[in-house]
Amino acid sequence: MKTNYNRWLILAATIIVNICIGAQYAWSVFALPLAKHFGWSGTTLALAFTITFATGPIVMICGGLLQDRKGAKFNIVLGGILWSLGMFFTGFVSSPEALYLTFSVIAGVGAGIVYSGNVANTNKFFPDKRGLAVGLAAAGYGSGAMIFAPLASSLIISYGVLTTFKILGVSFLIIIMLCSLIIKGAPAGYKPDGWVPPVTAAKPGGNDKNWKQMVQDPLWYVMACMFAIAALAGLMILAHASPIGQTMFKLEPQVAAFYVSIIALFNMAGRVGFGFISDKVGRSNTVALMFGISACALFLLTNTTSSVMFGFAAGLVGACFGGAQAVFPSFVAENYGTKNIGVNYGVTFVAFGIAAYFGPMIAANVAKASNGIYTQAFYIAMILNIIGVALTLIYKFLEKRGKSTTTNVAR
């Protein structure tokens, strides 16, 4: 199909937009200043992060419907406005309820609408390099914290936490609207010039299933459980990275913010690296590798007092979390097609929402019961990652059996 689309330019604009909404992951930098300003507890503030991501499945499904019907540009404009306004109005809050409404709901819904459109559009534009391209787009989302954590920390010191939200909200609106002028939706059945789909890319029984057909597949439930586990440890670390650094490793706030940026850098690298690896060795093999690395990193995190090792271990967990954001959209696309990828990935994102609820809250409650020590939470996440390795083996067994059954029926 010959087109005038410059898909790499569109991808570059997509990455910039995702960097803006990825500022969600810098939440831990805002948490302690808000606690000091208002006297709110750690669990009260952790709930803001939890609500943001726990509502993700509903937002992703709605955003997927919008993307499938209206196109990626519509998602970016609508979601970008909501995200920016939510951040701006967070600068006026005076109660936890107001914080939940502005940051967790308005901004969170906006970010989800933007991200669902960007993920689906990138999948459609890059059928030949799906893991790499989605990984790059996801890397933009993950790098938001790396870029905005130190910036926000400096702004907070200079202007206060509430004014910082206002400044960021206005800045995000300008950047996202400019990028929306470049981004276009992929046409139906888009194929890059010279690319021929491999025969093995076709799923037995046909691609392009809708969400109702998808949830009738037992393989989807195994994949969803894998997604939940892959996300839980990362969300646990990302939601509490700055407090963990300050309470367990005695870091100063700005140093802790620097470590948040390091973790975000690993997160970004994991999205690109594991996305690329998954194109080469397969999605399930890559997920198994991520589970193994994350389990080892969590074990290291529970057995070190070194701030450097904290940054390294937490970074590895962040990298594996980032890899999941790159691999699972491609997982869904390869199993159930790209025609309904917006909604299908939104439904699969329910698994992420479950992790978003339990991950940060488990860590917050463990810290509250242990005087700021998160060790038991790390052990829980480590055990779940070991279970995740077993799930990848079950997935491969069921996938192989399904292909054998289809081949026998065809004969």
Side-chain angles (χ1 to χ4, degrees):
M1 176 183 289
K2 297 223 180 252
T3 68
N4 295 321
Y5 292 101
N6 185 335
R7 59 178 183 158
W8 291 101
L9 179 61
I10 292 171
L11 178 60
T14 298
I15 291 170
I16 293 172
V17 171
N18 282 353
I19 289 172
C20 291
I21 63 172
Q24 287 179 310
Y25 288 120
W27 170 249
S28 63
V29 172
F30 298 103
L32 285 181
L34 284 170
K36 291 176 181 178
H37 186 82
F38 291 109
W40 297 339
S41 69
T43 51
T44 296
L45 290 163
L47 186 57
F49 188 87
T50 295
I51 292 172
T52 299
F53 290 98
T55 57
I58 298 172
V59 176
M60 290 289 287
I61 292 170
C62 294
L65 283 168
L66 288 172
Q67 196 281 333
D68 290 342
R69 296 178 182 179
K70 298 287 188 178
K73 186 185 290 287
F74 182 86
N75 278 51
I76 291 168
V77 172
L78 175 61
I81 291 171
L82 289 173
W83 160 250
S84 302
L85 288 177
M87 289 291 288
F88 180 77
F89 285 123
T90 299
F92 296 92
V93 302
S94 58
S95 67
E97 293 77 15
L99 175 68
Y100 301 153
L101 175 63
T102 57
F103 182 84
S104 303
V105 177
I106 298 176
V109 166
I113 290 173
V114 170
Y115 190 64
S116 62
N118 283 343
V119 166
N121 203 42
T122 303
N123 257 303
K124 293 176 181 179
F125 261 126
F126 291 88
D128 54 332
K129 296 179 174 67
R130 186 168 283 141
L132 175 62
V134 174
L136 286 168
Y141 191 35
S143 66
M146 179 188 70
I147 294 170
F148 288 109
L151 175 60
S153 182
S154 297
L155 288 171
I156 289 168
I157 291 171
S158 300
Y159 302 105
V161 64
L162 296 181
T163 301
T164 297
F165 278 113
K166 297 172 189 175
I167 294 171
L168 292 177
V170 173
S171 301
F172 291 147
L173 183 62
I174 295 170
I175 295 170
I176 293 173
M177 291 304 106
L178 288 174
C179 288
S180 72
L181 300 176
I182 298 172
I183 296 173
K184 295 178 175 62
Y190 177 84
K191 295 178 184 177
D193 290 340
W195 180 71
V196 179
V199 175
T200 54
K203 187 80 172 163
N207 262 340
D208 289 331
K209 293 179 172 61
N210 60 36
W211 72 270
K212 293 180 182 178
Q213 294 170 313
M214 180 180 72
V215 298
Q216 291 174 4
D217 182 4
L219 209 60
W220 178 80
Y221 291 91
V222 179
M223 184 174 64
C225 288
M226 290 159 58
F227 192 13
I229 293 173
L232 187 140
L235 288 167
M236 183 183 291
I237 297 296
L238 290 167
H240 297 276
S242 184
I244 289 170
Q246 292 181 59
T247 58
M248 291 185 66
F249 297 92
K250 312 306 178 187
L251 302 177
E252 294 296 322
Q254 282 192 292
V255 177
F258 170 75
Y259 275 93
V260 171
S261 294
I262 294 297
I263 295 167
L265 179 63
F266 274 83
N267 183 348
M268 179 181 67
R271 292 169 190 243
V272 179
F274 286 119
F276 176 78
I277 290 170
S278 72
D279 282 339
K280 303 298 182 182
V281 305
R283 314 301 175 197
S284 58
N285 289 333
T286 304
V287 173
L289 175 63
M290 292 189 299
F291 281 139
I293 293 173
S294 185
C296 292
L298 286 160
F299 179 76
L300 177 60
L301 202 55
T302 61
N303 290 277
T304 184
T305 57
S306 165
S307 61
V308 174
M309 293 308 295
F310 156 66
F312 177 68
L316 287 178
V317 175
C320 294
F321 170 80
Q325 312 315 301
V327 172
F328 280 94
S330 300
F331 229 152
V332 175
E334 289 182 356
N335 279 301
Y336 308 107
T338 58
K339 181 180 179 181
N340 304 300
I341 180 63
V343 175
N344 286 349
Y345 184 60
V347 173
T348 307
F349 207 74
V350 169
F352 185 95
I354 293 171
Y357 175 78
F358 285 104
M361 294 308 292
I362 287 172
N365 287 319
V366 165
K368 183 178 180 180
S370 307
N371 296 317
I373 305 300
Y374 292 81
T375 302
Q376 295 302 318
F378 299 152
Y379 275 121
I380 291 170
M382 181 182 70
I383 293 169
L384 287 172
N385 274 275
I386 294 171
I387 294 172
V389 175
L391 283 174
T392 60
L393 298 177
I394 294 171
Y395 178 91
K396 292 175 73 172
F397 171 76
L398 292 175
E399 184 182 43
K400 184 177 180 180
R401 189 176 68 176
K403 288 180 178 179
S404 298
T405 301
T406 303
T407 302
N408 291 332
V409 171
R411 290 175 182 173

